[in-house]
Amino acid sequence: MSPRRILSVPVLLIMLVGLFAAPTQAQSPAAASGKYAFYSYAGGTLVRAVGTTISSDLTAQSTIAGQRLPSTARSTTAAVEVKGLVDVGAIHTTTKARRAGTKGITMVSLARTANVNLLGGLIRAKAVETTNVTRGNPKRLTSTSSTRFVDLHIAGVHLPVNIPKNYRVQIPGVAVVVLNATATGTKDGVATSQGYALGVWLLRNRATAPVGSSIILNPTMSALSVPVPAPAPAVGGRAYGTHALIKATSRVRGEVGRSGEVSTPPIGTGGRVNKNRTADVNIPGVAHIGAVYSTTRATSSAHRGEVTNTSQIAGVNLFNGLITADAIGVRAHSRLVGTRFRADERMTFVNLKVAGVKIPVDVGRNTRINVANLGTVVINQRARTRNGNQIRGIYIRLLKPRGGLEAGAEIEVAVASTRIWR
């Protein structure tokens, strides 16, 4: 992963799925129309090791999401250590959303980290504070982020007194470092802002992390949607190719992010098809996936809404050939007219095999297969709620360790969901 990639606006937009996804969300707003929809988080440290399945997940994370105001979350961690990479003191994070005037909203996500020591002392600071602010009113949405450093030192690098935004330096032969990082953007009526204090990308192997691995300090993110017009429903959902939730130990959890993901803006896409493509996905020992192509199309007007989300995958190989397919595709669709809601799902595939057994093309919904030395595999998994639906082409939950993953790890392949808030 490069420093440029982590700052890209499309990456920020897909993080809205925690708010607009379906159907597993525990709560939904009582009335979506005419209200801002928001999602925001702040954290202390995040480590991603390229080519491995075990990483240090976001620490001291505080998250808010929804439409009800005010909303506040806080989190604290006494210290974090990832041997040879990260050693920091207390982390404090806060996320808040409140009304601004009679028709506006202000969101603030804040992360403070003390006694920073990265890469065995090559990067040090007494304290680092990152603030991310997003504002909305009937005329516009705005967002910004910035970082304040106290006594920052990077080995072999002369730093300016006031560090500019997205300031890039290099520790020769060791790492690329981006300081005071920020990226903002607006698309389909959603304003997004991402900021972090510093990002480190390794130029060579260090400790247990191979070249290309990353360390992010004080990651913050916010996303804010313009209010949906009062007579219209809010729409949502997502589609993606693969996703893995990793359980390593009771203290270490990681995540292999959703590939080729696209999310549905709450005001719809105006009937256009929004797309996302990924050429290849490789999780060593776990999954080798070919091209992923995901789409979303949605409309919202007075008392009517419609969403269609799809994910298509060319070539699937899980756990070194235990599960294979030439192609897999899923489609989730929902429609609301007045008070009448309808939803449907569809799955297609070519030459799908599980443990050497060919799966018939008319396989039933929620077909469970227990695979020896692996766990439970569910084909054509579907779920519905009163205002949403979801389909997963393949879902796996490991009952035994496999491919570097411990029991309890979950893998998804070809997922699509939709939702309409009445």
Side-chain angles (χ1 to χ4, degrees):
M1 179 182 293
S2 67
R4 293 178 184 267
R5 182 178 176 185
I6 198 167
L7 288 171
S8 63
V9 172
V11 172
L12 307 184
L13 289 173
I14 65 175
M15 301 185 78
L16 280 165
V17 297
L19 175 58
F20 302 126
T24 56
Q25 186 172 338
Q27 296 179 344
S28 62
S33 298
K35 296 182 181 180
Y36 294 93
F38 57 84
Y39 173 76
S40 181
Y41 74 77
T45 59
L46 179 66
V47 179
R48 288 290 179 257
V50 171
T52 69
T53 55
I54 305 304
S55 301
S56 173
D57 211 356
L58 190 61
T59 56
Q61 181 176 4
S62 59
T63 302
I64 57 174
Q67 292 181 304
R68 295 181 180 178
L69 296 174
S71 182
T72 304
R74 294 182 175 86
S75 184
T76 300
T77 297
V80 175
E81 182 181 5
V82 180
K83 191 172 182 180
L85 300 175
V86 175
D87 188 356
V88 302
I91 300 170
H92 300 274
T93 66
T94 303
T95 53
K96 298 179 180 179
R98 60 176 176 80
R99 298 187 188 279
T102 58
K103 296 183 179 180
I105 182 174
T106 297
M107 299 166 50
V108 179
S109 54
L110 175 69
R112 296 189 184 98
T113 303
N115 301 321
V116 175
N117 182 328
L118 305 180
L119 304 182
L122 295 181
I123 302 174
R124 292 179 176 271
K126 288 184 178 179
V128 178
E129 180 177 287
T130 302
T131 305
N132 192 322
V133 181
T134 301
R135 294 183 173 92
N137 60 48
K139 294 183 178 180
R140 62 175 181 168
L141 303 175
T142 61
S143 54
T144 184
S145 66
S146 62
T147 296
R148 183 176 66 90
F149 298 93
V150 178
D151 200 16
L152 173 66
H153 297 279
I154 299 178
V157 177
H158 177 72
L159 296 171
V161 176
N162 297 312
I163 296 175
K165 292 183 182 297
N166 300 316
Y167 189 67
R168 179 184 174 120
V169 299
Q170 185 168 323
I171 305 175
V174 178
V176 172
V177 182
V178 177
L179 302 166
N180 193 15
T182 182
T184 61
T186 302
K187 182 179 180 182
D188 293 323
V190 178
T192 58
S193 176
Q194 184 185 40
Y196 53 83
L198 62 85
V200 179
W201 285 263
L202 297 184
L203 297 176
R204 67 181 182 187
N205 297 346
R206 188 173 187 91
T208 57
V211 60
S213 299
S214 60
I215 304 167
I216 307 297
L217 184 71
N218 285 10
T220 64
M221 185 269 175
S222 64
L224 179 65
S225 166
V226 297
V228 177
V235 295
R238 61 185 174 188
Y240 51 92
T242 58
H243 181 224
L245 292 172
I246 311 305
K247 180 181 179 182
T249 69
S250 60
R251 296 185 61 188
V252 178
R253 295 176 185 270
E255 180 175 353
V256 180
R258 296 176 177 89
S259 62
E261 182 171 22
V262 65
S263 63
T264 308
I267 60 174
T269 66
R272 302 183 309 274
V273 177
N274 289 356
K275 311 170 185 177
N276 194 9
R277 293 181 174 90
T278 298
D280 184 78
V281 179
N282 187 20
I283 308 172
V286 178
H288 187 194
I289 306 296
V292 176
Y293 178 59
S294 302
T295 69
T296 182
R297 181 182 183 276
T299 57
S300 179
S301 59
H303 310 295
R304 300 174 67 95
E306 188 167 9
V307 188
T308 303
N309 291 340
T310 71
S311 181
Q312 305 288 330
I313 300 176
V316 174
N317 186 325
L318 305 179
F319 298 102
N320 299 318
L322 193 60
I323 301 172
T324 60
D326 294 336
I328 292 180
V330 294
R331 174 185 180 271
H333 170 259
S334 62
R335 186 182 183 190
L336 175 70
V337 178
T339 60
R340 188 173 184 180
F341 175 81
R342 289 184 176 181
D344 60 88
E345 313 85 32
R346 185 176 68 201
M347 176 184 177
T348 59
F349 55 83
V350 177
N351 199 27
L352 173 60
K353 296 181 180 179
V354 177
V357 178
K358 190 169 183 178
I359 305 300
V361 295
D362 59 348
V363 62
R365 301 181 180 189
N366 303 310
T367 298
R368 298 172 65 92
I369 304 172
N370 293 320
V371 180
N373 300 317
L374 181 70
T376 301
V377 179
V378 184
I379 307 296
N380 195 14
Q381 185 185 55
R382 307 189 190 193
R384 291 183 183 177
T385 66
R386 62 181 179 83
N387 62 343
N389 65 342
Q390 176 176 276
I391 180 169
R392 293 195 280 199
I394 302 174
Y395 169 76
I396 302 170
R397 182 176 178 86
L398 298 187
L399 299 180
K400 296 182 178 181
R402 180 89 184 214
L405 309 184
E406 290 201 358
E410 301 173 70
I411 299 95
E412 301 174 296
V413 178
V415 181
S417 64
T418 69
R419 184 171 191 163
I420 303 178
W421 290 335
R422 288 176 273 195

